[in-house]
Amino acid sequence: MELTNNQAALIIETSDTGEITVNVATPDFDGLSGKVCQAIAMKLMQDVDFQEEIMRMVEEENP
């Protein structure tokens, strides 16, 4: 997948042990989309309440 300068993507990888890794892909880390993606990635990795909220949402969709 190729991204243009105004695009960014979160890449979320899960291991067999359930560990989650978050990366950002973008050709322009200083552009708005790159900065927004980086902020979301940081929040996802550092904010325990946000992590728990996401996991609750996932579990509710997949009982």
Side-chain angles (χ1 to χ4, degrees):
M1 172 180 182
E2 288 189 41
L3 298 171
T4 63
N5 283 342
N6 66 339
Q7 295 177 321
L10 285 177
I11 301 168
I12 300 173
E13 181 178 350
T14 57
S15 71
D16 292 338
T17 60
E19 189 172 314
I20 297 174
T21 305
V22 179
N23 292 294
V24 175
T26 183
D28 184 10
F29 283 94
D30 292 324
L32 179 60
S33 59
K35 288 182 178 182
V36 168
C37 244
Q38 290 177 78
I40 293 168
M42 286 177 55
K43 183 166 181 68
L44 185 56
M45 296 305 295
Q46 296 175 357
D47 186 329
V48 175
D49 292 334
F50 187 59
Q51 293 169 6
E52 290 173 356
E53 179 181 350
I54 296 293
M55 293 311 293
R56 275 193 307 273
M57 292 171 71
V58 169
E59 290 168 358
E60 288 173 1
E61 290 181 9
N62 299 308

